[in-house]
Amino acid sequence: GFEFTAACVTRKLKSRVSTLLIPYLVWNTVILGLFLTLQSVPSLAQFLSGRTGTITDFTAWQWLNAYIGHGSAPIADQLWFIRDLMILVVIAPVLGWIAARAPKLGLAVFLVLWTLEAGEQILGLLAYASLAFFHLGAVVNLQRWHPSRIDRLARILVPGFLVLAVADAALMTAGSPHEALPHSPTTPFHLLTVLLGMAVVWILAGRLAAHPRISRLLAWLAPFAFFVFVTHEPMLGGVRKLMYKA
């Protein structure tokens, strides 16, 4: 279990070296090497010089920032949440103190900040979303809130989420690709859809876990989840670039 104490944080930091830091460094190095290799092929270089720029022209800071992701994301941008998680483990005692003494106020403040500053980062490193939801987990744990209570609202939340999700998708795809969208992933309406979606995923997960065969299948697939997550973005990103260039 996790305790919001200096001793527990120190122990967790040591354990996270092998479970978070090393995989984070390895995968960023793999993606960096992949970009470097592909950019050396003239016919492919045009597809891989967008956000990253030409890697052979990197300054010392750009090489370092490929791992840090200050102001944006690391070179393996799908791993931004691991960077954030390592930062959150360090400041966990402070968040734990807030979660223990002012759980509702602290949670409200962090969720409001997430709503107002969605897509932004604190000091260019920690996403407001990461802070808000890590703190939500801390409050649920320390205050002994029971997420299973959400199941009682399934008949309202599931159809409500479906309606919001369809409306959200319609709003974000309105207009032509070259026009400014009237709706974006940082609007309160989209963020509300995200919150409801989290509740619905929790409800559905409980339903699936209740079936032994499905539960065993999910347990068998679980070890592959991180690998699928890490590899999906380079492949999908490459497909998108090829489609847009075509």
Side-chain angles (χ1 to χ4, degrees), residues 77 232-246:
D77 54 4
H232 88 283
E233 174 52 32
M235 290 188 291
L236 289 178
V239 170
R240 284 197 301 268
K241 287 180 180 292
L242 289 172
M243 291 177 65
Y244 293 149
K245 291 287 185 179

Side-chain angles (χ1 to χ4, degrees), residues 4 88 91-120 122 126-139 191 195:
F4 293 85
L88 288 164
I91 64 174
V94 176
L95 297 179
W97 185 89
I98 298 173
R101 289 164 175 76
K104 294 181 181 179
L105 176 61
L107 184 58
V109 169
F110 289 136
L111 287 175
V112 167
L113 286 174
W114 169 57
T115 303
L116 297 177
E117 302 292 341
E120 301 298 325
I122 301 170
L126 178 62
Y128 282 94
S130 300
L131 177 62
F133 289 107
F134 185 89
H135 188 72
L136 172 60
V139 172
L191 301 181
L195 286 174

Side-chain angles (χ1 to χ4, degrees), residues 148-240:
S148 58
R149 294 176 181 172
I150 296 174
D151 294 343
R152 304 172 187 172
L153 303 175
R155 293 183 179 180
I156 298 174
L157 294 179
V158 174
F161 167 71
L162 293 175
V163 171
L164 287 180
V166 171
D168 190 43
L171 287 170
M172 280 203 285
T173 55
S176 74
H178 305 291
E179 294 175 346
L181 295 176
H183 185 68
S184 75
T186 59
T187 59
F189 185 83
H190 175 76
L191 301 181
L192 175 61
T193 307
V194 170
L195 286 174
L196 280 183
M198 291 172 57
V200 170
V201 167
W202 177 272
I203 292 168
L204 294 179
R207 299 289 193 274
L208 291 174
H211 296 276
R213 289 185 179 180
I214 297 177
S215 182
R216 286 195 296 270
L217 176 62
L218 293 176
W220 180 79
L221 291 172
F224 306 103
F226 182 75
F227 178 79
V228 171
F229 176 79
V230 169
T231 56
H232 88 283
E233 174 52 32
M235 290 188 291
L236 289 178
V239 170
R240 284 197 301 268

